[in-house]
Amino acid sequence: MVTDQTRLMVDSIKRLLRRNAYPNLKNIVSKTHAADLSIVFGSLASPEQSTLFNMIEEPANKGLLLKELEEDIFLGLVSNIPLEEVVNIFKIMPSDDVAELVNKLPEDTANTILKKMRIEDSQQVAGLLSFADKTAGRIMITDYIALADYTTAKQAIESLQKEHCDVEMPFYLYVVDDYEILVGVISLRQLVVVPPDTPLKKFMVTDVFSVSTDTDQEEVAKIVARYDILAVPVVDSGNRLVGIITVDDVIDIFRSEATKDILKMAGAGEEYVETKSVLKSTRIRLPWLFASCVGGIIAVTVIGSYESALSQLAFLAAFIPVIMGMGGNIGTQSSTIVVRGLATGRLNYNEVWIVVSKELCIGLILGLIYGAFIATVAQFRYDSSMLALSVGLSLISSMTIAALVGSLVPMIMARINIDPAVATGPFVTTAIDIVSVFFYFSIATYLLGI
Amino acid sequence: MVTDQTRLMVDSIKRLLRRNAYPNLKNIVSKTHAADLSIVFGSLASPEQSTLFNMIEEPANKGLLLKELEEDIFLGLVSNIPLEEVVNIFKIMPSDDVAELVNKLPEDTANTILKKMRIEDSQQVAGLLSFADKTAGRIMITDYIALADYTTAKQAIESLQKEHCDVEMPFYLYVVDDYEILVGVISLRQLVVVPPDTPLKKFMVTDVFSVSTDTDQEEVAKIVARYDILAVPVVDSGNRLVGIITVDDVIDIFRSEATKDILKMAGAGEEYVETKSVLKSTRIRLPWLFASCVGGIIAVTVIGSYESALSQLAFLAAFIPVIMGMGGNIGTQSSTIVVRGLATGRLNYNEVWIVVSKELCIGLILGLIYGAFIATVAQFRYDSSMLALSVGLSLISSMTIAALVGSLVPMIMARINIDPAVATGPFVTTAIDIVSVFFYFSIATYLLGI
């Protein structure tokens, strides 16, 4: 297990830090992958973090670590490093990573750093930052290999050896015409298997998947996943190649999008906030509970209006939880299936009636089954067939409506371009709660004649 | 948008099928990526599916399509194709894809097909199928490039050109010793930049990340994502290289694991079942609702035991929904944050007390805020300070307990190696419901002196 190994590493690093065993620490630090070191940093106090950071010799490795750190730790660490050193580290990092980090810094620090970088580097970073958040333009890498279509395979290999040694992941070579317009793609593999004198245009693939700078990052990720490609080129409005997005970034996009959807559906914020601050977490979660609170107050009013019925037949109250709970749970099932189906492309928002009518059927069947079950319980416990009938009918209507609302709301949201995951939060459940309670008391007072 | 394009394609394909416009259809089919065609198939009737399938000329493309199809459609289609043809298609597919498809087929069909395949191919497939489901051994590709450590760069490039033209994604070359033990890795890129006579062992990277055949697929995916690699080699118990897992499969693993977690947390099954059958979906969702049903019946008993209090003060019932709802929602927030944190590696199951005490604090603060709010509502509506106090205290205890249970249960589950996502389903919510209602009536009857 990765976690156990990391734990061991944290323990031994802490021990070595206490003993000031610098040569041993240096040895561990130089052998540990930045992704693992970043986890160790999460368990260290701020001065220890600085000590460890200064032990990393290569600025490139310092950069890799900065990229992996959680935002809080990154900001704390950077405030303890001379600005000159930060600039030197940023200078040799890929521009998309620098853009991501600069974006996290306070504005004045960010500007000072950009000013101190070489003009062409800082222009690249500022260029990326000019695109909207979560678009292809913002997350693309500008270090890619683009060659003219008349280049030969041999020349291409030579240019790989000489000029493009710093490119992150050179598995595809992109082919452009005289106007920098993307015309083809070649895999590194094809390059070594053709005769050396063949010009690229003779064997390039011309049917290239590409995205535009303003394509949403989730859309980019879906394209890469759908066609099993390792990188997708990004083109500007004039079809000129301006960057690429690689598969490792796509994995990160999928994971963070899945996290976002999960949190939204539970009404627990939009991003996974890694923070030790209780107050910050409380602030994020407070508003999401408000919907449920307002719903609860409406339920107080609804049930309050049946007060006289309740004082005659107090046992009516006993079935409120089961009717609300079953409705809420089947509603969550329906909306979860729809939201995830839309996110993964298994459902299409045009199929609204197919999806909703299926959910309606499922709600009805499950309502009939559990309605009959709970009605039997009511009959045995209170020996009143009218109560049993009321409870049964309420459960059926509550579960059917819940399945309907739970599937319809996210489908409509997707259709009108609102994120369906938000709809599945406390809002749907709360609406279902109120409707369920209202139906239950209407049916029961009518049937029991109170 | 991909979905709109697909919709257009489905419409035009249907129109062409009605008109028997075979040359046009053939043209569309030959130009469409298998991933897109598979979506079209989902909207066609069975005979239309067979017609379209037969229009695909290359068996390799037929294979790509079969791999992309939903299980139901795949099974339907295969039952309409001569077995000989299925065998011919499987023969040229990568063995991991064949294993996945054979695993879906009825046992006798699967056996007949394996018998008809070439012995070495069927042995490879049977070999993969011998590993447990969702392990590295089951999903690995056995077509990879492994070369002896004394091979030179030039020889390696030659072998790429001659022998290994059918390897799926040859971005890494693995280096093995005389006993087939994995000793290093070389990227295709390094191969073209070193002098041609250099033996691989001089420039290979010896610190290779690898997984074993029985490593869980989720663990494999995490390693690939963590270290930004494009493929991870799989070794057997003797450290011999037996396969690789590539990044495109890793994306699929992450997406299906995220879906699984989301569905489990909502109590909507374990896998996303794409089916038009209402009954099948109902069967999957039925048992998950049972927990909530049993919880509801317990609540009937709890509230039933306060019947005399309720007939004196019927308005007590009005606050049941808000106390249950707020508890349920904050419990879902806590468990979602913990489950997702564990899944993405942001939380470690050793940090149980840190995580749980943080959630407890958040629950208490939010309980105090919303408790004060709802108590004020109760005071204004029923003008009873004891009722207001009861409602407020109940909300505080309900929300605090919910945050405690919601975070503690998944942490414990993870620690004892049970999937925490299951714990977050209807079980936690139901437990919280019962405890909330019990606390509310205990506090209210005590304070109001009934």
Side-chain angles (χ1 to χ4, degrees), chain B residues 170-184:
Chain B
F171 15 75
Y172 296 126
L173 285 86
Y174 296 97
V175 186
V176 291
D177 68 8
D178 294 344
Y179 306 97
E180 286 189 65
I181 289 176
L182 179 66
V183 291

Side-chain angles (χ1 to χ4, degrees), chain B residues 143-155:
Chain B
D143 308 313
Y144 50 86
I145 306 173
L147 297 167
D149 51 5
Y150 48 78
T151 316
T152 63
K154 188 161 176 270
Q155 290 169 331

